[in-house]
Amino acid sequence: MAELPDRVEIHEEGPREGFQIEPPGFSIADRAALVEALADTGLRQIQVASFVNPARVPQMADAAELFAAIRKRPGVRYTALWLNERGFDSACATPAVDLTGNLYFYASDAFSRQNNGRGMQAHAESQRRWVQLYRDRGLAIESAYVMTAFGCNLEGEIREERLAQSLRFIAQLERDEGFRLPVLYLADTVGWAYPLSIRRRIALARELLPHARIGLHLHDTRGLGMANALAALEQGVDLFDASIAGLGGCPFCGHAHGGAAGNICTEDLAFLCEQMGIPTGLDLPKLLEAARLAERIIGRRLEGKLMHSGLPSAAGLEEPA
Amino acid sequence: MAELPDRVEIHEEGPREGFQIEPPGFSIADRAALVEALADTGLRQIQVASFVNPARVPQMADAAELFAAIRKRPGVRYTALWLNERGFDSACATPAVDLTGNLYFYASDAFSRQNNGRGMQAHAESQRRWVQLYRDRGLAIESAYVMTAFGCNLEGEIREERLAQSLRFIAQLERDEGFRLPVLYLADTVGWAYPLSIRRRIALARELLPHARIGLHLHDTRGLGMANALAALEQGVDLFDASIAGLGGCPFCGHAHGGAAGNICTEDLAFLCEQMGIPTGLDLPKLLEAARLAERIIGRRLEGKLMHSGLPSAAGLEEPA
């Protein structure tokens, strides 16, 4: 098969991206237990929470407290998300946060306006200030995310030229600010990607930022998440964001029986990689334990498939925990 | 991209494979309504029910009644499943059944014993009788299914040599009985396939039965269903079984929040094909309506993703029905 990577790294988003859209009120103890269970699986990076306006995202109001409650495991990075300087300051003031120098861009102008109150170009320009803020803190620029890199519900499929625009801006920012971007994430924020666009946009990113490692942040909103992951693996992509048990998405919108699916599922993705002969460094039985813990905490059936079927084994299905 | 097919044909299994593992008691009216809704989507073949021992599968005890209740649409085949001559006779006695000359083989010896009370070889030999029975009825041999073509929960991953054994038997049967098999289905009966084995076994099937069209019957038990479908599309496979809303699987086994997932989801697969530029002849909005009807009938959240997110559109998500 085409250029499969030698190994794959998966970064966990469930505690943040998952819990931020669940109802508020889950205990610090439960959420810390989940993070600790995840840290036991071989995951090296776990996004724990976001430092954002508690009036807008009450689920994350106790982010600092959650970080303080976690028994950290050496070798694991416990990261956070922030959207503005205030959030970044809060993160910096929380000792347990492992700070990451991430930049964010948007390929969808409408989505940028809706999320940030300004268009994609203005938001891109604002990233200059972040380069400076990170430098002031002695943080390396670690990655850049291009959100809605494939499409968004407001604009539909985002034309490749828009993505190219974001990528060229990043290349120019590198030259202006004198840094070299280590990682470029193509983020399929609301699940618009499909295998052809995955291939084409990975190729585009490699053309315009040839020195950057490519990462993918995929959503399974329309059922194409795993097919998209396969397409990316076949292009040699070795870095993915995912959520335990497929947390994330939108449980409040949609139909009587629940809303749209969220991030691709960490353990299902790890299983795909392992089945393809690509090591992930992750302990699948422990990932399944963490997924089932998440399900017990959340209290409804979660999206993951492997968690409900168990691992294959010649002696029969793995007994559920 | 590699050899994508020019168009894809999807055969619907939900009414049979889905309802056979749900609790008994769903009304004829509801199940007929679902079949009729499915027939409105462009699907050309729908497996309605099975003619099997009502003591073992009470959900299918009223198969004949269900067939009789359906308002059939011209151009659509309403098929049935049978496991023995008694079931076949019942199907033949039910006027609305569109009979299909299918043969069944097993790559897993243990699974064959569990399902049929005899090993894979003895079961293969029994298919000679079926060739005769079909001939007696004037039915062409339409297809052969190799069940557990990738693995099973009793034997684990089935070695390719076992599959080759089944395929060589079929080739010999063709010569002995003087027919040419039009379609060979590789059936991933309990979800053991992964993209590499998908590719390799399609190649093996083409090597040993070069004149047969290849079809796939995939399960999403462990979350790899759509990745497997993509791998198959990339090998030019143009024929798939699937279930509306991802019906099928095993809701009674597993954890507090439900059991293992089932067949790959008809509408999600159709969406993948359409996104890849491969026409299916199916009406996606109508498929979503049928999926949501299935969900209302069954009364719990079903597995399909697109049904819960809606179709992408530039003006925003399709409004739920």
Side-chain angles (χ1 to χ4, degrees):
Chain A
M1 250 172 84
E3 329 110 39
L4 292 180
D6 292 328
R7 58 175 307 110
V8 156
E9 188 176 341
I10 298 175
H11 291 173
E12 176 61 37
E13 300 264 310
R16 192 277 303 172
E17 191 150 8
F19 280 78
Q20 90 183 2
I21 46 86
E22 294 293 332
F26 291 102
S27 70
I28 293 281
D30 276 347
R31 288 146 63 207
L34 179 60
V35 172
E36 288 167 14
L38 288 164
D40 255 358
T41 63
L43 284 163
R44 298 293 193 87
Q45 189 159 314
I46 301 168
Q47 196 169 71
V48 172
S50 57
F51 290 88
V52 289
N53 184 344
R56 286 189 69 183
V57 191
Q59 297 90 330
M60 295 284 130
D62 55 3
E65 203 186 330
L66 174 57
F67 269 97
I70 294 164
R71 257 170 328 189
K72 292 180 75 171
R73 187 186 171 102
V76 179
R77 299 177 80 206
Y78 299 76
T79 67
L81 180 69
W82 47 83
L83 303 179
N84 53 38
E85 288 183 47
R86 181 174 177 169
F88 180 51
D89 288 343
S90 300
C92 291
T94 307
V97 175
D98 296 309
L99 298 167
T100 49
N102 298 331
L103 303 173
Y104 294 92
F105 300 85
Y106 289 79
S108 161
D109 196 62
F111 193 90
S112 181
R113 284 178 200 285
Q114 177 182 262
N115 252 39
N116 308 312
R118 59 186 168 223
M120 58 185 284
Q121 188 59 31
H123 188 82
E125 286 291 341
S126 75
Q127 299 303 295
R128 292 185 193 280
R129 169 122 178 92
W130 283 101
V131 173
Q132 198 53 54
L133 285 168
Y134 292 145
R135 280 203 164 123
D136 291 348
R137 292 265 176 186
L139 280 176
I141 305 304
E142 242 181 83
S143 77
Y145 272 79
V146 181
M147 317 291 279
T148 58
F150 298 87
C152 85
N153 295 337
L154 302 168
E155 294 199 20
E157 184 166 23
I158 297 294
R159 283 176 298 113
E160 281 177 40
E161 183 44 41
R162 281 288 195 77
L163 172 60
Q165 207 176 313
S166 296
L167 299 171
R168 281 189 209 107
F169 185 95
I170 293 168
Q172 186 59 49
L173 192 65
E174 286 181 299
R175 289 187 291 268
D176 294 347
E177 302 295 326
F179 72 94
R180 202 173 130 108
L181 185 71
V183 176
L184 186 277
Y185 280 94
L186 297 174
D188 187 25
T189 313
V190 284
W192 275 75
Y194 51 97
L196 287 181
S197 65
I198 289 278
R199 285 186 168 76
R200 292 174 58 113
R201 294 174 194 225
I202 288 168
L204 181 65
R206 285 182 172 147
E207 181 197 330
L208 297 179
L209 291 168
H211 49 271
R213 181 186 187 191
I214 304 294
L216 283 206
H217 178 104
L218 297 175
H219 278 230
D220 198 25
T221 319
R222 298 194 174 91
L224 304 189
M226 292 289 274
N228 290 338
L230 176 65
L233 287 168
E234 289 170 348
Q235 298 302 307
V237 170
D238 67 353
L239 179 60
F240 294 84
D241 287 345
S243 277
I244 196 74
L247 281 171
C250 182
F252 311 122
C253 42
H255 311 270
H257 294 283
N263 298 59
I264 57 170
C265 174
T266 299
E267 63 275 17
D268 290 358
L269 174 64
F271 180 64
L272 172 64
C273 292
E274 296 283 344
Q275 292 286 90
M276 302 288 282
I278 307 167
T280 61
L282 301 179
D283 182 322
L284 272 166
K286 286 189 170 173
L287 277 176
L288 293 187
E289 278 179 39
R292 291 163 187 158
L293 172 60
E295 193 168 73
R296 287 195 297 276
I297 292 170
I298 301 274
R300 69 163 196 281
R301 181 180 169 97
L302 296 180
E303 295 287 342
K305 293 283 160 66
L306 195 63
M307 68 185 294
H308 296 118
S309 65
L311 282 166
S313 82
L317 291 177
E318 173 214 344
E319 279 309 303
Chain B
M1 249 173 80
E3 329 112 38
L4 292 181
D6 292 330
R7 57 177 304 110
V8 155
E9 189 175 341
I10 298 175
H11 291 172
E12 176 60 35
E13 302 264 308
R16 192 275 306 171
E17 192 150 5
F19 280 78
Q20 91 184 1
I21 47 85
E22 294 294 330
F26 291 103
S27 70
I28 293 282
D30 275 347
R31 287 146 63 207
L34 178 61
V35 172
E36 289 168 12
L38 288 164
D40 256 357
T41 64
L43 284 162
R44 297 294 191 88
Q45 190 160 313
I46 301 167
Q47 197 169 72
V48 172
S50 56
F51 289 88
V52 289
N53 185 344
R56 288 189 68 186
V57 191
Q59 298 88 331
M60 294 284 129
D62 55 5
E65 205 187 326
L66 174 57
F67 269 97
I70 293 165
R71 257 170 329 187
K72 293 181 73 172
R73 189 187 170 100
V76 179
R77 298 178 80 204
Y78 299 76
T79 67
L81 180 70
W82 47 83
L83 304 178
N84 53 37
E85 288 183 45
R86 183 172 176 171
F88 181 51
D89 288 342
S90 300
C92 292
T94 307
V97 174
D98 295 311
L99 297 167
T100 49
N102 298 331
L103 303 173
Y104 293 93
F105 300 85
Y106 288 78
S108 161
D109 196 62
F111 193 92
S112 180
R113 284 178 201 284
Q114 177 180 264
N115 251 40
N116 308 311
R118 58 187 168 222
M120 60 186 283
Q121 187 61 31
H123 189 83
E125 286 291 341
S126 76
Q127 299 303 296
R128 293 186 192 280
R129 168 119 180 93
W130 283 102
V131 173
Q132 199 53 52
L133 286 167
Y134 292 146
R135 281 206 163 120
D136 292 348
R137 292 263 173 187
L139 279 178
I141 305 303
E142 243 183 82
S143 77
Y145 272 79
V146 182
M147 318 290 279
T148 57
F150 298 87
C152 85
N153 294 339
L154 302 168
E155 294 199 20
E157 184 166 23
I158 297 294
R159 284 176 296 113
E160 282 178 38
E161 182 45 41
R162 281 288 194 76
L163 172 60
Q165 205 176 313
S166 296
L167 297 171
R168 282 188 207 108
F169 186 94
I170 293 168
Q172 186 60 48
L173 191 65
E174 284 180 301
R175 290 187 291 268
D176 293 346
E177 303 294 328
F179 71 94
R180 203 171 128 110
L181 185 71
V183 177
L184 185 278
Y185 280 95
L186 297 173
D188 187 25
T189 312
V190 284
W192 275 74
Y194 51 98
L196 287 180
S197 65
I198 289 278
R199 284 184 168 76
R200 292 172 59 112
R201 294 174 194 225
I202 289 169
L204 181 65
R206 286 183 172 147
E207 181 198 331
L208 298 179
L209 291 169
H211 49 272
R213 180 187 188 191
I214 305 293
L216 284 206
H217 178 105
L218 297 174
H219 278 232
D220 198 23
T221 319
R222 299 193 174 91
L224 304 188
M226 291 290 273
N228 290 338
L230 176 66
L233 287 168
E234 289 170 346
Q235 299 302 307
V237 170
D238 67 352
L239 180 60
F240 294 84
D241 287 344
S243 278
I244 194 74
L247 281 171
C250 183
F252 311 122
C253 43
H255 311 270
H257 294 283
N263 297 60
I264 57 171
C265 173
T266 299
E267 63 275 18
D268 290 359
L269 174 64
F271 180 64
L272 171 65
C273 292
E274 296 282 345
Q275 290 287 92
M276 302 288 282
I278 306 167
T280 60
L282 302 179
D283 182 320
L284 272 165
K286 286 189 170 171
L287 277 176
L288 294 187
E289 279 179 39
R292 292 163 188 159
L293 172 61
E295 193 168 73
R296 288 195 296 276
I297 292 170
I298 300 272
R300 71 164 195 281
R301 183 181 170 95
L302 295 179
E303 296 286 341
K305 294 283 160 65
L306 195 63
M307 67 186 293
H308 295 118
S309 66
L311 283 167
S313 82
L317 290 177
E318 172 212 345
E319 278 308 302

